[in-house]
Amino acid sequence: GKSNLVDAISFVLGASKKHVRLKHLQDLVHKKENESVGDVSRTTLVELVCDGPPEAFSLEGGIGDGGTVRVVFRRTILPDATGTVFQRVLPGGEEETVSEADYAAHLARINILPEAQNCLVFQGDVEAAARKQGRELTQFLEKVSGSDAFRVEYDRLAAEKAKREDNARFLYSQRRSANREKERVKEQKREAEKYKQLDTERANLQTEFLLFRLHCIRWQLDAKQAARAEHERERIAADDAAAAGLQRKLDAERERAAAHLEAVKAERALADGGSRLEQIGPGEMEVAGRLEDLRQRLQDLQSGAERCHRRRQQLQTQAEALTRERERADAELAQVAADITKQQPPFTPEQRQEFERAQREAERITSESSDNVRFVEAKIKAVCRMRARVERESRELKAKQDHFRQRIEDLAEAEAEAASVKEAQKRTADERARQLQRLQRESVEQAEEKGRLMKEREDIMKEIQDITASERQIKYEQKIAGITKDLIQMVPGVHGRMIDLCKPAQERLGVAVNVALGGYLYAVVTDISDGAKQCIRHLRERMQEAMTFLPLDRLRVQPLDRRVAELVRNRPTLRPALSCVTFNPRFARAFEFLMSDVIVADNLDEARSFFYDELQSRGLSCRVVTIHGETISRDGNMAISGDDTRQDRFNFAAIGEKKTRLDEIDRRMYQIHTLESTAGTNQAALQEEAMRSEARASSSRKALEQCQQELAARREDMQRFEEEIARLLPEAQRLEEEEAQHRQEQRGLEQQIGEVVRGHFAQLSAAMGVEDVAKLERDLRHKREELEAKQRVLEQRKGSIGAELEMVQQTLKERALRDPSKAISECEEQIKSLEDAKGRQFETAEAAQERLERLKAEVSSLQGVEREKERAAAKAGQEAREAQQRAAEAKRHLAALAAEAQELQQLRGDLVQQSVLENIRLPLLGDHASLEEELASDGGGGEGGEGPPTRDLEEVVDFGALPAQKRAVREGPGVALLEDEYRSELDRLGQELERLQPNMKAVEQLRELVEQAEGAAQSAAQARSDIEEVERLFEDVRDRRKARFMDCFSVVREQITVVYKRLTAGAAGRGSEGGSAYLDLEDLEDPFLGGVKFTVMPPAKRFSDVALLSGGEKTLAAMALLFAVQTYQRPPFLVLDEVDAHLDNNNLQALARYVAQSECQTIVVSLKDKFFSHSEGLVGVSRSASTETSVIFTADLDRFRQGQLVPAGGPGAPPGGSA
């Protein structure tokens, strides 16, 4: 077929397998029937015969007319489809086998481009051309123009050019950098010379300043040593007194804790008894409510059972009556059936034939009267059917009326019962509401009393806190606060005391926070250590109280172990100490330093359990404090920090009769809390019961309303049924009378007919011995019809009775299934069970109340013992605190002196280490190398060192190098002034040196940079030369590619408008001009790199993109583009394969006209006669069954148009002269 033909053309034009839509070359070889592809071993070839001038084929000379030659291009498939052979047959008959590339080149000389397929236009090519836009259209034009042959070279040269330009830019950058670096190093050389001079001056000044500071420290250490000996004696005496006081306090606290533990146990037992009693109350109320609900439900079930029993009796009576009535109907039906059987004429078969013959003759004579009789019979039947329907409807309505009457009686009883239930439920709901209001009033009164007590308690607590602090504590607090305020104002970076920078998250956590902070409770927070040292010097100079400082920059925080945090998270009685205080995040490091590994417990038992049972068993440790002040250290030792347990800043201890009043208030508050809890529980239970009562009342109201609505509806139905029955009764009587009239009329007509045709039945009547056999048959027939009508009525009646009986029986079954007897029994059992439970609850409540009274008396007694022990513990604690204060004060003085001496020693060691690290050469007495090594290992020597000194500082350092006027200054303001002068000068010199920051290797670097700059200049010049060479080659390729592309583009752009106008001429009407088509370049400089925009304007339409056109318009636009492209290099022929698939008749005619006017030899494959009918000839391909080969048929249409019907065909032309 045509597909084989197109494949053959594509094959000979050098197309690959993918272009001919084949997987294997064997598919091109013809196969016989029952022959597979693998069995084909034949060869096949396709030839392309071209006539033209010799220069078209690169030949010399000419053969034939007009100097033309014939060249044959042949492509053969080898046997077994192992490949193909490309051949060219020259005019002299010489066969030349060429390569595939040479074959394509020879075809290209005659404008046949295998790659672009410019000779073949498939339907898919048209669709693809319609979609081509932008870069895709550019690539298509490059293939046609041949400019894509320069693409590889163009891309290679462009990449090479870009690479060399990048290299040149890099080399130029290197040259500029080298020159700049050379100038910069010259400047550095001058700065290095100046830097050396300033560095020598600064080193001499550092040595002198270090000697002065060491001289001052030596004198201060001697003074501190004498003061420490005096304070040590005071400390020993204070420690002895503090130890005795602490022991007395511990004994008193232990006795108080034991009494408190007993009181707490009793209070817990009292609370448990109250809780159990509270739990009984709601249970009693719930049982009472449920009991009342069940009793009401039992009453409802019993009433319903009585109604159900009465209704079932009524239904059973009705069912028995209906059963009897159905039996009577069955008897009547049997009798009627027997009577119908008797109403048959006594004919023998011969008499029946004779009667029927005579009857037909009679009907022929009396046809008009017979028609009247039949008409009357039809009316009688219609009236009978109507009367039967009316009677059936009347019976059904009466049955429904009886059913609804009984339903109305039931509803009336249910209405009365629902009204009674509604009133009872309403009374219950009102009673519950009154009880709930009474409880709410009592709750409000209790809340008001609670508020008054809480206000009184707050006032007492404020008063206790105001009077508890002693005069001495107040004065000491004021003094320390004043000193701290002075430090904040005088020293930058001082923020205040720890106790002033935080507050407890809860009031009860104050003691725990005090203990957690420990000795750092009054420590002062500073930003840096230098600020802390400045504060210490300030206090020392003014002989003020010693204080502890926390420099934030020197604190090292050890975070809490993650496993410890996980254990704390699982116990609600434990919490991290950091969560017990609030503070500014700015000071978080100080609080984390002191409290990150501290856990706060609610009591000592919890602390012990956590530390000894959980932490030590896992190999973990941390500090644990309780809210009462007990402490468990990291090594497991327990202690009570007496000085910290005072809540001097958080909450002072209660005293005397105020605490007695507080105890009374607390007990009353506990009672109110118990009452509130009980009242809340009772109120919730009562509220729930009230809601249930209201819900039951609402349900009763809804049931009553529903019953009333249904009763009204049923009464309306009864009224409607009565009206319908009243309407049907007259209708039934009228129909009965009408039936009687029609039967009378029928008898008269039949009697007239019988008089007329009596003679026809005379012989038969005589033979049967009757007066008139026709009259006899007519009477029997009338009687039979009456009986049949009666039978139908009885059957309908029987059906209605059966339906009604079935409905009654179904109702009886449903009633039996809804029998409330079982529900009544279950309800009675539940009532009995609840009454027993109510009795047990009453007995339990009485026992609980008696136990509660006993516990109250026990709690009161134990609380008295606890108060007595607490007063004794408070007295012992006061004595212990006073002793501890004296001991702590002595320790602070001694610690302050030790800290000051240690600080001076540390400072001296730091200075010596600093001299070694900073390479500051101190003037030494003796061998410099050995003495410097001794100073570096000893850290300063003397009595202030951490280790045993090897030699005193005076024996090593030559203080004589220090000027005499400066050696005379040892303490007081003069020291600070001289240090400030030294520091100012050193800072000035340091800033100058830091500002210079010279490069000390500038001389050597400058020499290397000069060489680098010369090499970079030479490399940059070579790179410029390389760029010029490759740029020349690139521009040459670019110009040739652009020229070839633009040659093609110019031709196509010029021709596409002409072609499109010819294709669309007359599309908008006779005489209308065609449309316009345009090709526009997106990149005018390098057109082959940009896209090509293809737009058209169809006739009588606006300018639009090709993608927006209809199918036919899109096909014409694509064909215009393909035809315009072919004008650039006109091929010797053109093959169009079903390009007209999407064209309507107008567009098809336009394409046909264009092809007919084309100068190119065109082969068209089409299935539309309106297209190929314009051609000069037709070629058909079919299969010959005898030879199993393809047969070609041709028809010359020009001769056909001239009237010559002789076909032009090949060897297989069909007979008869047609193709």
Side-chain angles (χ1 to χ4, degrees), residues 812-884:
L812 280 171
K813 291 180 181 179
E814 294 175 356
R815 291 278 181 173
L817 293 174
R818 294 199 300 266
D819 188 5
S821 301
K822 184 177 180 181
I824 290 173
S825 301
E826 293 176 353
C827 188
E828 289 174 347
E829 292 177 0
Q830 292 177 0
I831 289 173
K832 186 177 181 304
S833 175
L834 287 177
E835 287 176 347
D836 296 340
K838 185 176 181 182
R840 289 193 298 272
Q841 285 180 345
F842 179 75
E843 296 173 358
T844 304
E846 285 186 345
Q849 186 65 37
E850 292 176 0
R851 183 173 181 274
L852 194 63
E853 294 299 329
R854 290 196 306 271
L855 288 173
K856 285 181 180 178
E858 184 180 351
V859 167
S860 178
S861 174
L862 290 173
Q863 285 177 345
V865 173
E866 182 186 1
R867 285 193 295 272
E868 182 180 352
K869 297 294 184 182
E870 189 172 0
R871 285 192 292 270
K875 183 178 178 181
Q878 182 66 28
E879 295 173 354
R881 281 193 296 272
E882 291 176 357
Q884 285 180 336

Side-chain angles (χ1 to χ4, degrees), residues 244-279:
L246 181 60
Q247 185 61 41
R248 290 193 299 272
K249 178 186 174 184
L250 288 175
D251 295 339
E253 282 290 338
R254 194 174 295 108
E255 294 176 359
R256 186 201 63 78
H260 176 73
L261 183 60
E262 293 297 328
V264 167
K265 290 180 179 178
E267 289 175 355
R268 288 179 180 174
L270 180 62
D272 292 341
S275 299
R276 286 195 291 272
L277 188 59
E278 291 170 8
Q279 294 171 1

Side-chain angles (χ1 to χ4, degrees), residues 880-892:
R881 281 193 296 272
E882 291 176 357
Q884 285 180 336
Q885 287 175 1
R886 292 191 300 271
E889 187 174 357
K891 289 178 182 179
R892 279 196 296 272

Side-chain angles (χ1 to χ4, degrees), residues 134-151:
R135 286 287 301 152
E136 189 177 2
L137 188 52
T138 302
Q139 294 171 1
F140 175 67
L141 292 176
E142 276 211 286
K143 286 184 179 180
V144 174
S145 65
S147 64
D148 61 342
F150 300 99
R151 179 183 300 154

Side-chain angles (χ1 to χ4, degrees), residues 442-459:
E442 293 175 357
S443 297
V444 171
E445 293 173 357
Q446 292 172 359
E448 292 175 354
E449 182 182 1
K450 184 178 179 181
R452 290 194 301 272
L453 292 174
M454 290 181 67
K455 180 65 170 60
E456 182 181 358
R457 190 177 188 282
E458 289 178 1
D459 296 339

Side-chain angles (χ1 to χ4, degrees), residues 1137-1155:
D1137 185 9
E1138 294 191 40
V1139 298
D1140 55 346
H1142 299 296
L1143 297 178
D1144 56 12
N1145 289 333
N1146 290 335
N1147 293 330
L1148 187 65
Q1149 294 293 338
L1151 179 61
R1153 286 194 300 271
Y1154 180 85
V1155 173

